[in-house]
Amino acid sequence: MMDALPARGCPEEDCYFRKGCNPLAETGRSKLQNQRAVLNQQILRAVRMRAGAENLLRATTNNKVREQVLLELSFVNSDLQILKEELEGLNISVEVYQNTEETFSIPLVPLGLKETKEVDFTLPLKDFILEHYSEDSSEYEDEIADLMDLRQACRTPSRDEAGIEMLMSYFLQLGFIENRFFPPTRHMGVLFTWYDSFTGVPVCQQNLLLEKASILFNIGALYTQIGTRCNRQTQTGLENAVDAFQRAAGVLNYLKETFTHTPSYDMSPAMLNVLVKMMLAQAQECAFEQISLPGIRNEFFTLVKMTQEVAKVGEVYMMVNTAVTQEPVKENIPYSWSKLVQIKADHYRALAHYFLATILCDHEMQSSDDEDQQEKALSQLYDYVPEGKAHLRKAIVYHEEALRVCGLCKKLRNIEVLLEVLTAAHKRSLLKYAQQETEDDFLSLIQAPDILPKTEHKVEMVAPQFSKLKVKDFFHRLGPLSVFSAKQRWTAPRTIHCHCESGELGFSLKGGSPVQIHCLDPSCSAASAGLKEGDYIVSVGGVDCKWLGVNEVLEKFRSVGKQPIEFEVISCQDTTASMHSKSATYSVGMQKTYSLICLAMEENKTDQAKKAPLKLPFLSWGTKNRQKAASTLCLPTAVAGSSQVKKKLSPFTLLGTESSLY
């Protein structure tokens, strides 16, 4: 379970979040995640060794050195293959995620959570608050600590709705953080590292979109774990499982459509497309189990309905099986997953033929039966009706194929309940076939036609509903996001001293929060003190008023009486002129703050102005060539002088648009 933690930056009754599970807890799920983290570190070391060996191989011309490097490369590649197989073993450890109750059902496939490294927001955000917002950054240490605590908790979410809510809360907070602290023209120096869920290969970028996409993937993965944990022996448990897999498919589909060109392979469009289909197939499987849970009566129309329903399950798994065998997915998807999908496709198609054979063998037409109605029901299954033994033979063939494929995979052979379900279904079909007469041997040449699938319980993706979750911006005190954002530049607050002349201030106020100076009289004392048309009032008498409206600010002016009025204002700067295009974030492995970059720029400002026309920064290469090469080393940047389209700012700016991680 997860406990509630009061946030440091706001009152306990108004703002809180939940901490994650204990990462040291000796549960099966936590052990798997810890093993995944260890494997990720080993894969990272092996990848670095391979990269170094490949660089040395390209640089050297000495034959002896090349032979030695090639030998080392072969060892490193072998180690990587072994580590990948171990990671695949963790991905197929489906029994750990299943419900603890004894069940006689084929296991479902959950997704493992992506692992990440710790991120320290403290220095970059404090530096940006001081430089961009001209405020004392030490006053926001609690808010920064809250953000880091929430991110740390998201690394170990609980497997329930509270864990989903926590991940969604962090995702929405990232929307606020992106608009407040991540300008489009430079990087903040915050490096995000996430490991691929299937290959274990790390992806490191300074792009906040990688963080948002990875959190979305983990939301979908957590939904799959919730679905596999549901008790499939009860109606309520199966309903919850169907809902969880539909929501998982919706989140993964939203990730695929919103974040394009993701550098991590597990979030590539091809892989996400397969995962969406797989989750919908598992939802359809649970829907069939739900309608068959009370039992299947040996009655004509009941069997017709069950035949169509189970044929639908087989059809969706056939589509998944086709998808997992296509390039480039089949190279990285766990081998056990692809075989389990094939087994389920054969198993459920076998059940469809068994049910139909039962109809044809056990239900002879009686005088009281409605012949037209029965013929109409059978016509919905296929065009012509062969004898029942043909369907039994086809059912047995599918059962034997499912058992054969299961025997080929070492991981699946060790799942006892899977073998029990497949063996029991096979024996049932063999027994039914043995009970039939064998006089007409020539009928054995007739092939059973494919059954037309149909379902009354169609499953669909459920898109994530972020708007239903109310999240308070940690950095609410900076002011309204529509005004105080990273895309807009402001002067440092200026103190204005003025007094009322004949009860008049010499200006009027307009707008919402914060209020804006309007109709300024050039001859008034406020104008003489430096007040300008369009300035925003941020405080009156030392009291912050960024969130106050016109009436509240006027009330504060009136409360002063005849005493001199003191208030602070800020002016909007030209964004294009004030924001430079350089994105230097690292120097000899050391992180630079924005202030240090500005100091270095000021020293050479005069000399650079006299030189040749400004060249594009090196990091703009990723922008020009994003269509040519999808390299994880390409960092996002804006070309100098490019026009920026002004949009309304909100934490959901990127939720409804197509975004790129490059």
Side-chain angles (χ1 to χ4, degrees):
M1 297 295 292
M2 297 195 308
D3 302 326
L5 288 179
R8 302 179 181 86
C10 52
E12 182 175 352
E13 64 273 9
D14 295 334
C15 184
Y16 71 94
F17 55 86
R18 297 181 180 275
K19 66 180 182 180
C21 298
N22 181 8
L24 302 179
E26 292 297 319
T27 63
R29 177 169 166 263
S30 64
K31 288 179 180 178
L32 277 184
Q33 284 299 132
N34 290 334
Q35 293 175 25
R36 184 185 296 274
V38 172
L39 279 177
N40 287 336
Q41 293 298 324
Q42 294 175 349
I43 291 174
L44 174 60
R45 286 195 293 268
V47 168
R48 288 175 174 173
M49 290 179 62
R50 184 175 67 178
E54 290 175 346
N55 291 336
L56 179 58
L57 186 64
R58 285 191 294 265
T60 185
T61 57
N62 189 306
N63 291 332
K64 290 185 177 181
V65 174
R66 290 180 65 86
E67 291 178 1
Q68 186 175 359
V69 172
L70 287 173
L71 181 62
E72 290 294 334
L73 270 176
S74 64
F75 284 122
V76 172
N77 287 329
S78 298
D79 291 341
L80 276 174
Q81 184 63 30
I82 294 174
L83 292 173
K84 183 180 178 181
E85 291 176 358
E86 292 182 15
L87 187 61
E88 179 185 338
L90 296 183
N91 287 327
I92 198 57
S93 300
V94 294
E95 64 276 3
V96 176
Y97 295 94
Q98 309 299 313
N99 187 268
T100 55
E101 301 290 337
E102 292 188 5
T103 179
F104 194 69
S105 303
I106 299 180
L108 300 170
V109 175
L111 295 177
L113 299 178
K114 290 173 68 69
E115 290 288 334
T116 183
K117 289 185 176 181
E118 293 185 4
V119 173
D120 190 355
F121 290 101
T122 306
L123 291 178
L125 295 194
K126 290 180 68 174
D127 195 44
F128 193 82
I129 290 173
L130 178 62
E131 173 265 325
H132 186 82
Y133 293 104
S134 301
E135 294 200 24
D136 186 0
S137 57
S138 62
E139 297 181 357
Y140 291 89
E141 291 180 351
D142 289 342
E143 286 83 351
I144 297 174
D146 287 340
L147 176 64
M148 295 174 60
D149 288 345
L150 180 57
R151 187 185 190 275
Q152 181 66 22
C154 287
R155 299 178 67 181
T156 56
S158 63
R159 192 168 38 159
D160 50 26
E161 287 298 326
I164 295 292
E165 180 181 341
M166 182 179 67
L167 289 175
M168 285 190 171
S169 298
Y170 180 59
F171 179 78
L172 295 178
Q173 283 293 343
L174 289 177
F176 292 120
I177 298 301
E178 181 178 21
N179 285 324
R180 287 199 184 277
F181 299 106
F182 285 78
T185 53
R186 66 180 175 89
H187 300 296
M188 287 291 295
V190 181
L191 187 65
F192 301 100
T193 302
W194 286 88
Y195 294 89
D196 192 292
S197 180
F198 299 124
T199 65
V201 176
V203 175
C204 305
Q205 284 193 352
Q206 298 185 62
N207 198 335
L208 191 66
L209 293 183
L210 174 63
E211 180 89 347
K212 297 175 72 174
S214 300
I215 291 296
L216 273 179
F217 183 92
N218 277 358
I219 293 175
L222 194 58
Y223 269 128
T224 66
Q225 296 181 14
I226 292 174
T228 56
R229 190 186 187 185
C230 294
N231 186 357
R232 294 158 66 189
Q233 300 302 309
T234 64
Q235 286 286 348
T236 302
L238 286 169
E239 288 177 3
N240 294 336
V242 172
D243 180 71
F245 285 117
Q246 289 182 127
R247 293 183 182 277
V251 172
L252 295 175
N253 186 69
Y254 176 81
L255 172 59
K256 180 188 70 173
E257 294 181 349
T258 307
F259 297 88
T260 58
H261 303 291
T262 49
S264 182
Y265 187 79
D266 54 359
M267 297 188 295
S268 65
M271 179 60 76
L272 290 175
N273 184 55
V274 170
L275 295 180
V276 168
K277 290 181 178 180
M278 184 180 293
M279 297 311 131
L280 289 178
Q282 295 191 142
Q284 193 71 57
E285 180 181 3
C286 293
F288 167 72
E289 292 180 355
Q290 187 177 356
I291 60 178
S292 61
L293 183 63
I296 302 174
R297 294 184 296 113
N298 193 358
E299 187 268 332
F300 183 88
F301 293 104
T302 300
L303 289 174
V304 169
K305 178 182 178 182
M306 299 307 297
T307 300
Q308 292 176 317
E309 291 287 349
V310 75
K312 183 64 178 179
V313 180
E315 180 192 47
V316 294
Y317 271 114
M318 274 300 298
M319 292 190 294
V320 178
N321 184 48
T322 302
V324 299
T325 56
Q326 302 296 321
E327 295 286 355
V329 175
K330 71 175 184 179
E331 298 296 332
N332 289 284
I333 199 166
Y335 175 77
S336 305
W337 286 16
S338 60
K339 292 305 173 184
L340 183 59
V341 166
Q342 184 179 350
I343 289 171
K344 288 189 176 186
D346 291 332
H347 173 71
Y348 287 112
R349 286 190 296 173
L351 289 183
H353 285 283
Y354 174 80
F355 289 149
L356 186 51
T358 304
I359 295 174
L360 299 175
C361 296
D362 295 356
H363 293 274
E364 296 182 357
M365 182 66 64
Q366 304 294 330
S367 57
S368 59
D369 293 336
D370 189 338
E371 182 178 356
D372 293 337
Q373 192 172 5
Q374 289 193 1
E375 288 183 357
K376 182 179 179 181
L378 287 175
S379 66
Q380 296 178 357
L381 299 177
Y382 40 49
D383 296 332
Y384 68 95
V385 183
E387 52 100 34
K389 290 183 64 177
H391 285 285
L392 283 175
R393 284 193 298 272
K394 199 161 188 177
I396 292 171
V397 170
Y398 281 137
H399 283 311
E400 291 175 348
E401 178 64 14
L403 286 169
R404 185 189 70 83
V405 174
C406 185
L408 292 176
C409 183
K410 179 181 178 181
K411 302 293 183 181
L412 298 180
R413 285 201 304 266
N414 297 329
I415 303 179
E416 295 181 0
V417 66
L418 176 60
L419 287 175
E420 291 176 2
V421 172
L422 298 179
T423 303
H426 183 222
K427 290 181 178 180
R428 183 176 57 188
S429 295
L430 288 174
L431 180 62
K432 191 73 173 178
Y433 186 80
Q435 294 173 353
Q436 306 306 310
E437 298 179 358
T438 59
E439 296 177 359
D440 300 328
D441 292 336
F442 71 91
L443 292 177
S444 62
L445 300 176
I446 301 177
Q447 295 295 323
D450 293 333
I451 299 173
L452 301 178
K454 182 181 178 181
T455 180
E456 297 177 359
H457 304 271
K458 186 178 180 181
V459 297
E460 295 179 346
M461 295 179 291
V462 178
Q465 299 176 337
F466 298 107
S467 59
K468 290 187 176 181
L469 185 62
K470 303 301 180 183
V471 176
K472 185 176 181 180
D473 181 9
F474 281 155
F475 297 89
H476 175 84
R477 291 192 293 133
L478 286 175
L481 189 59
S482 59
V483 176
F484 298 95
S485 68
K487 293 183 180 180
Q488 301 189 46
R489 297 279 296 174
W490 304 95
T491 62
R494 308 189 311 276
T495 302
I496 304 297
H497 298 273
C498 67
H499 57 275
C500 294
E501 300 175 357
S502 301
E504 296 292 338
L505 292 172
F507 58 87
S508 59
L509 305 178
K510 71 172 184 177
S513 304
V515 298
Q516 196 172 8
I517 301 297
H518 181 58
C519 297
L520 176 65
D521 183 0
S523 61
C524 68
S525 58
S528 302
L531 188 63
K532 301 177 182 178
E533 181 79 16
D535 283 350
Y536 287 90
I537 299 179
V538 294
S539 69
V540 177
V543 178
D544 188 277
C545 61
K546 297 188 191 76
W547 287 95
L548 299 184
V550 173
N551 293 332
E552 291 86 352
V553 174
L554 286 176
E555 184 63 30
K556 289 189 174 294
F557 282 148
R558 295 191 189 100
S559 64
V560 177
K562 296 182 179 181
Q563 299 294 325
I565 301 175
E566 179 181 309
F567 58 97
E568 291 185 339
V569 297
I570 57 175
S571 302
C572 181
Q573 293 181 341
D574 183 7
T575 306
T576 304
S578 62
M579 302 194 74
H580 62 278
S581 61
K582 290 200 173 183
S583 303
T585 319
Y586 288 89
S587 177
V588 198
M590 298 298 292
Q591 199 173 29
K592 283 188 177 182
T593 63
Y594 179 74
S595 299
L596 293 177
I597 298 171
C598 292
L599 289 174
M601 290 178 62
E602 286 295 331
E603 293 176 358
N604 300 325
K605 185 176 180 181
T606 305
D607 295 337
Q608 290 181 0
K610 298 179 181 179
K611 290 183 180 180
L614 182 64
K615 295 182 179 180
L616 292 179
F618 171 75
L619 294 179
S620 295
W621 182 90
T623 303
K624 295 173 61 180
N625 296 276
R626 71 173 73 177
Q627 300 297 335
K628 297 181 180 179
S631 168
T632 58
L633 297 179
C634 296
L635 300 177
T637 184
V639 178
S642 61
S643 60
Q644 300 291 336
V645 179
K646 188 174 182 181
K647 296 181 179 179
K648 184 177 180 181
L649 295 176
S650 73
F652 312 102
T653 300
L654 295 176
L655 296 186
T657 60
E658 189 178 80
S659 306
S660 171
L661 284 180
Y662 288 116

